[in-house]
Amino acid sequence: MKDAAPTTAPETFYLKDYKPFGFEVEAVELTFKLAPNSTRVLSKIRFSPKKNAADPRFFLHGEALKLISAKIDGAPVTPDLVEGGLSCETPDTPFTWEAEVEIDPAANTALEGLYMSSGMYCTQCEAEGFRKITYYPDRPDVMSTFSVRIEGNETVLLSNGNPTGAGEGWAEWHDPWPKPAYLFALVAGDLVNHPDRFTTRSGKDVELNIWVRPGDEGKCAFGMEALKKSMKWDEDVYGREYDLDIFNIVAVDDFNMGAMENKGLNIFNSSCVLASPETSTDANFERIEAIIAHEYFHNWTGNRITCRDWFQLCLKEGLTVFRDAQFTADMRSEPVKRIEDVIALRARQFPEDNGPLAHPPRPEQFQEINNFYTATVYEKGAEVIGMLKRVVGDDNYAAALDLYFQRHDGQACTIEDWLKVFEDATGRDLSQFKLWYSQAGTPRVQVSEDYADGAYTLTFEQSTPPTPGQPDKAPRVIPLAVGLLSPNGDEVRATDVLELTEAKQSFTFDGLAAKPVPSILREFSAPVILKRETSNAERAFLLAHDTDPFNRWEAGNALATETRVTMVVEGAAPDAAYLDALETLVRDDTLDPAFRALVLSPPSQSEIAQTLHDRGVTPDPQKIYDAAETFAQTLAQQLETSLPRLYAATTVDGPYQPDAHGAGLRALNGRILSLLTRLDGGEQAARQYQAADNMTQQYAALAALMKAENGETQSQAFFDQWQGDRLVMDKWFALQVACAAPETAAAVASKLTDHALFDMKNPNRFRAVMGALAGNHAGFHHASGAGYQLLAENLIALDSLNPQTTARMCAAFQTWKRYDSARQALIRVELERILATEDLSRDTHEMVSRILQG
Ligand SMILES: [Zn+2]
């Protein structure tokens, strides 16, 4: 199946046009007769017309369906088949709609609706996939109970809710909780399970299963523990209990997203659930724990309370990302999680917010909703919740959430409903705060200071650059967590949250014996860009003394950025004071190893490019790459005498455990190994590769060796060992492109697309190669344009198979206006080539048009 190609400009949908559906859906009964190329879906739906409906039309969405028959109250009808669905004359009183359609799951490479993956049937309906299964009002504000019968030869037949009957070749399910169609799911396959049980705090016994293909059952235990921890945590922290007799998770190899929170039947990209020490890195384990929690938490924030329309997507996603971040902070380390999240926000959301794809967390228009599953909706959406909590306080946040669950359970809600709950719980007017949901762009906060007679004044000026469709913006509510340090390093003022509400505002602190050093935006209390005249000496002071771990890391990050920028712009040598500060930190055994690993991780080359661009310097990707190499080499030489001792001291003894402490030590150990490899050519890395009994260390050693262009033997050995494991092979594909030198990256990626194990239809494998190419900054932006050309060619080829993944990966071009005119010209050619492709999908058409126009 393929999206309908736009013959004229694709239709645009607007938030302001919202109208409720004119009918209640009282109950849905579905029967699936499974066959790879000719599955029959029978639907029996009880509709009841609403009185005085704003839109009384009976319109059911439907795409790529073959209508076999339709009936109303048992009598055959002939509906009007139109683009995107059907309409039909209906009675004024409640009636039963029946339809039989035929679909072709085996030919469905778009992975939306019902499709096949490695011989199993599975579904993905969010956002608008259910309309590829049968005719239905496929919109989140239409909620109903679903009863499902599945007929098929597979050993395992699953749907939402509780099982109500099963026999040879059939199974029946009933979901008592009304839900929108996007939460529908069906799985049929010859699967095996990893079972467990959980007793809720009110004593309800719940059956838990993780279903996988035979051979993967040994990789489920960690995910199951994560699920049970999530269930317990949501009871303890949010008072939310699970509400069915059974909770199923299924691992699927071909999946566009990470995972999907279908009611009682979560479907996961296998990369986000399968884990074992031999095949998964520490980063994989942490991500799996977080995604299992995220999807589970959706049961309340998303499923029991859902979104009225897709413009409200951040209502469920922002809140659930915020909740899963709280969970990870509780399970692991709060400061480390915060730093990791800010690194990700700056890497993914800031470029979006400051480029042609900028949009508010609640967009007001779209052509293809799949293009709005973005870092802005998810990660900035979560930042907005964090600010709201900071502004109202923890107790008020808890009270507002209780009210939210009590007031809106079973409803499809809006951002207005969400904020009203906080207003009612706190008595506070949040109309200005709401601008965070309607305005795009990252606010800049310019800081100036004044000190006289013991009084220290901080003055803040906020502004937000123009974004598409939003030239001017009003001041927002910005919570700034600020502490003050005395010149000797003591904290003289603990953290205070200053609330910025005006374009320019001053705050004065009295009774200070000396001019303090300010620590501003502690914990990264708002997603803004802070601008302040400061010195490397002051940054080094904060790196050494700040009591806020986030700002301590931030000071180091700022020093790293300044050093890199000076190296690129002035051709300077790495800053000696910064190298000394790093050496002190890395040797400080009192500091959390995970924190030290983060301090040792340089800002990304893309971030340096953005910083240069912000300062009016056109970034040269090759120079940025060279500076990064020079810096790492100089740091390795500076640490030469201590590296072997540090390497030994951070090597974890005993059997591998994926806990936070061990992961932190291994992260630091990996950083040290990469520096060591610059000096010994890979001797230690080769030994580690040989001895490693877990993927984290095997992978770190291979990466270090490949970066040193001395890893061919190990790369071949890795391939021989793991060629039968799809997820490990994704790592192998990605690593070759990620480690390639700028001048060879495109050629390496191109060669890999010819590899026997490259499969364009598998999103994980496609992303492994093409995502790694886009992430190899100097390689992708090599002056030859080979990187741009290769990505464009592959996106064009993928578009006819999988529009959703194609469109999403077009974002690799979103920063194109940063670069010089020659590179811009090369990129424009590729973007225009994509746009000129015959039968281009609506998804990709919208993305490329926005990138070109911005
Ligand atoms: Zn989600």
Side-chain angles (χ1 to χ4, degrees):
M1 286 191 292
K2 180 171 168 325
D3 277 31
T7 44
T8 53
E11 188 182 356
T12 300
F13 301 91
Y14 296 92
L15 169 61
K16 62 180 167 56
D17 291 345
Y18 173 81
K19 282 199 194 95
F21 186 54
F23 300 79
E24 299 289 348
V25 179
E26 291 169 9
V28 178
E29 290 173 42
L30 300 171
T31 300
F32 288 81
K33 299 179 177 183
L34 296 174
N37 291 110
S38 55
T39 289
R40 289 286 174 107
V41 184
L42 287 76
S43 59
K44 188 173 176 185
I45 306 166
R46 188 75 184 156
F47 286 102
S48 162
K50 289 180 188 164
K51 291 199 175 65
N52 307 318
D55 182 6
R57 288 178 312 150
F58 183 74
F59 179 81
L60 304 181
H61 297 103
E63 275 177 35
L65 304 173
K66 190 164 124 193
L67 181 64
I68 307 296
S69 67
K71 288 181 212 164
I72 288 181
D73 290 333
V77 291
T78 309
D80 264 347
L81 297 180
V82 294
E83 199 186 317
L86 62 74
S87 59
C88 195
E89 291 287 319
T90 58
D92 300 335
T93 50
F95 61 93
T96 300
W97 161 268
E98 288 173 90
E100 180 168 3
V101 302
E102 187 173 293
I103 53 179
D104 187 350
N108 181 353
T109 58
L111 315 182
E112 280 181 309
L114 179 67
Y115 65 94
M116 300 199 74
S117 170
S118 307
M120 69 188 273
Y121 294 87
C122 58
T123 54
Q124 170 59 31
C125 293
E126 185 177 1
E128 298 180 335
F130 192 75
R131 62 190 61 182
K132 295 180 169 184
I133 292 175
T134 190
Y135 288 100
Y136 193 74
D138 186 9
R139 37 187 296 167
D141 59 343
V142 174
M143 299 171 84
S144 181
T145 58
F146 281 64
S147 300
V148 177
R149 178 182 169 87
I150 309 166
E151 297 175 11
N153 300 322
E154 292 70 21
T155 55
V156 176
L157 306 170
L158 306 173
S159 191
N160 314 92
N162 296 320
T164 49
E168 185 68 31
W170 65 274
E172 290 180 351
W173 293 79
H174 175 70
D175 184 358
W177 299 103
K179 67 168 177 288
Y182 83 85
L183 291 173
F184 170 82
L186 177 151
V187 169
D190 296 326
L191 304 173
V192 291
N193 66 327
H194 177 98
D196 209 327
R197 306 201 78 84
F198 180 82
T199 306
T200 70
R201 64 175 181 178
S202 68
K204 188 183 174 74
D205 184 36
V206 183
E207 177 186 341
L208 310 175
N209 292 299
I210 297 180
W211 296 94
V212 295
R213 288 197 287 150
D216 284 338
E217 54 271 42
K219 297 182 181 173
C220 301
F222 180 80
M224 183 58 83
E225 288 311 306
L227 174 60
K228 291 193 289 183
K229 279 191 224 168
S230 307
M231 296 177 86
K232 176 82 167 65
W233 186 90
D234 213 15
E235 291 183 352
D236 292 346
V237 179
Y238 280 84
R240 298 296 108 198
E241 210 176 305
Y242 188 61
D243 54 6
L244 290 166
D245 304 336
I246 186 166
F247 188 83
N248 286 311
I249 287 176
V250 182
V252 172
D253 286 336
D254 302 286
F255 204 73
N256 280 330
M257 310 278 284
M260 178 63 209
E261 70 263 23
N262 317 297
K263 183 77 186 189
L265 177 53
N266 287 4
I267 298 183
F268 272 63
N269 187 321
S270 51
S271 72
C272 297
V273 57
L274 300 181
S276 74
E278 297 73 33
T279 58
S280 312
T281 61
D282 288 321
N284 295 144
F285 278 102
E286 181 175 339
R287 183 169 140 83
I288 286 166
E289 184 177 82
I291 295 185
I292 289 203
H294 178 95
E295 306 307 335
Y296 175 74
F297 296 157
H298 267 315
N299 192 51
W300 276 93
T301 52
N303 301 4
R304 289 284 286 258
I305 305 178
T306 191
C307 305
R308 187 192 72 176
D309 53 68
W310 291 121
F311 299 102
Q312 323 292 333
L313 181 58
C314 74
L315 176 71
K316 77 175 175 82
E317 294 305 342
L319 178 54
T320 306
V321 170
F322 180 72
R323 274 154 47 74
D324 84 52
Q326 287 181 299
F327 169 78
T328 299
D330 283 355
M331 295 298 124
R332 291 165 181 260
S333 151
E334 190 171 355
V336 168
K337 173 63 177 163
R338 190 64 188 136
I339 294 165
E340 288 172 349
D341 281 352
V342 173
I343 290 171
L345 189 80
R346 285 175 173 158
R348 304 202 316 118
Q349 202 276 328
F350 277 25
E352 187 169 271
D353 226 2
N354 292 282
L357 298 176
H359 56 276
R362 179 170 68 178
E364 284 166 18
Q365 63 183 75
F366 63 76
Q367 291 174 351
E368 174 50 63
I369 184 58
N370 284 334
N371 289 337
F372 285 86
Y373 284 72
T374 60
T376 297
V377 168
Y378 279 67
E379 276 78 32
K380 190 173 180 179
E383 292 296 323
V384 174
I385 309 276
M387 283 188 289
L388 188 56
K389 183 164 180 273
R390 207 176 287 277
V391 164
V392 301
D394 292 351
D395 292 345
N396 280 327
Y397 174 82
L401 266 287
D402 285 345
L403 183 58
Y404 180 62
F405 293 122
Q406 180 201 325
R407 184 183 286 177
H408 293 296
D409 187 13
Q411 296 179 4
C413 294
T414 61
I415 293 302
E416 283 73 16
D417 295 327
W418 164 253
L419 289 176
K420 183 74 169 55
V421 157
F422 279 81
E423 291 187 328
D424 291 351
T426 64
R428 185 187 158 127
D429 176 0
L430 290 168
S431 46
Q432 188 187 6
F433 186 86
K434 194 181 167 191
L435 293 173
W436 279 106
Y437 286 103
S438 60
Q439 291 186 350
T442 311
R444 271 60 170 171
V445 177
Q446 181 79 46
V447 188
S448 53
E449 62 195 317
D450 190 54
Y451 177 77
D453 304 328
Y456 178 68
T457 300
L458 282 169
T459 300
F460 302 100
E461 285 176 77
Q462 61 162 303
S463 64
T464 305
T467 50
Q470 294 187 336
D472 304 304
K473 296 183 184 75
R476 306 184 202 188
V477 179
I478 300 178
L480 294 170
V482 174
L484 300 178
L485 282 79
S486 74
N488 67 12
D490 296 334
E491 186 164 83
V492 288
R493 231 12 115 79
T495 305
D496 228 340
V497 178
L498 311 178
E499 215 174 288
L500 209 56
T501 54
E502 293 160 31
K504 184 175 181 180
Q505 223 167 330
S506 296
F507 300 86
T508 298
F509 304 85
D510 295 318
L512 295 163
K515 185 182 176 204
V517 176
S519 167
I520 305 171
L521 204 62
R522 283 182 161 181
E523 294 176 30
F524 201 67
S525 59
V528 301
I529 294 171
L530 208 56
K531 297 187 153 192
R532 176 167 172 264
E533 291 287 326
T534 180
S535 64
N536 278 353
E538 195 187 279
R539 293 185 181 105
F541 173 86
L542 288 171
L543 178 58
H545 299 292
D546 205 325
T547 57
D548 179 67
F550 175 80
N551 260 7
R552 201 167 176 194
W553 168 82
E554 181 78 317
N557 189 53
L559 273 173
T561 305
E562 288 312 312
T563 300
R564 238 33 91 73
V565 165
T566 313
M567 289 173 75
V568 171
V569 175
E570 296 169 16
D575 183 70
Y578 175 52
L579 287 167
D580 290 343
L582 271 185
E583 182 168 4
T584 307
L585 270 167
V586 79
R587 290 170 153 187
D588 185 348
D589 292 335
T590 64
L591 290 171
D592 178 4
F595 178 81
R596 284 190 277 162
L598 286 165
V599 173
L600 267 184
S601 303
S604 77
Q605 292 176 38
S606 177
E607 259 185 273
I608 300 296
Q610 183 64 37
T611 303
L612 288 165
H613 173 75
D614 289 344
R615 296 182 188 183
V617 180
T618 303
D620 180 336
Q622 183 66 44
K623 279 190 181 168
I624 295 173
Y625 174 86
D626 292 341
E629 288 297 304
T630 304
F631 185 85
Q633 193 65 36
T634 314
L635 178 63
Q637 275 152 4
Q638 167 131 356
L639 293 172
E640 186 168 9
T641 51
S642 39
L643 281 176
R645 182 195 71 77
L646 283 166
Y647 177 80
T650 53
T651 300
V652 188
D653 296 325
Y656 175 89
Q657 290 291 334
D659 59 287
H661 181 72
L665 270 175
R666 282 184 292 270
L668 182 55
N669 184 257
R671 293 294 311 146
I672 289 161
L673 180 66
S674 76
L675 292 170
L676 201 51
T677 304
R678 288 178 179 272
L679 304 179
D680 74 1
E683 272 180 48
Q684 185 61 52
R687 278 197 294 274
Q688 176 170 319
Y689 185 88
Q690 203 61 39
D693 65 354
N694 63 78
M695 181 51 68
T696 307
Q697 288 181 309
Q698 191 181 21
Y699 185 82
L702 181 61
L705 287 162
M706 287 177 68
K707 190 81 187 58
E709 296 182 15
N710 191 18
E712 251 175 64
T713 314
Q714 287 81 2
S715 175
Q716 185 59 49
F718 191 90
F719 178 86
D720 293 341
Q721 183 182 357
W722 295 116
Q723 56 181 311
D725 187 305
R726 272 174 103 161
L727 298 176
V728 181
M729 284 321 292
D730 288 336
K731 296 186 202 305
W732 182 80
F733 273 89
L735 198 53
Q736 315 212 30
V737 185
C739 292
E743 61 279 10
T744 60
V748 168
S750 176
K751 193 158 170 248
L752 286 172
T753 62
D754 294 331
H755 194 282
L757 293 183
F758 182 77
D759 176 7
M760 189 170 264
K761 288 182 184 165
N762 178 252
N764 289 358
R765 189 60 48 85
F766 187 85
R767 277 191 291 258
V769 178
M770 289 301 144
L773 175 63
N776 183 328
H777 183 255
F780 182 56
H781 292 286
H782 189 260
S784 66
Y788 307 144
Q789 195 183 340
L790 184 70
L791 180 62
E793 277 167 11
N794 279 277
L795 291 176
I796 289 168
L798 184 66
D799 186 67
S800 59
L801 298 167
N802 186 335
Q804 196 176 329
T805 292
T806 308
R808 214 157 279 173
M809 291 199 64
C810 289
F813 291 113
Q814 70 178 329
T815 55
W816 69 300
K817 291 284 177 71
R818 279 181 193 163
Y819 300 95
D820 54 83
S821 56
R823 284 185 172 85
Q824 285 192 33
L826 290 167
I827 294 174
R828 178 180 288 279
V829 166
E830 300 306 332
L831 289 171
E832 287 176 347
R833 188 152 70 103
I834 297 173
L835 207 55
T837 305
E838 210 181 316
D839 292 338
L840 191 71
S841 69
R842 186 173 64 215
D843 309 52
T844 305
H845 187 277
E846 181 186 25
M847 284 293 273
V848 175
S849 304
R850 284 165 64 203
I851 293 169
L852 271 168
Q853 280 158 17

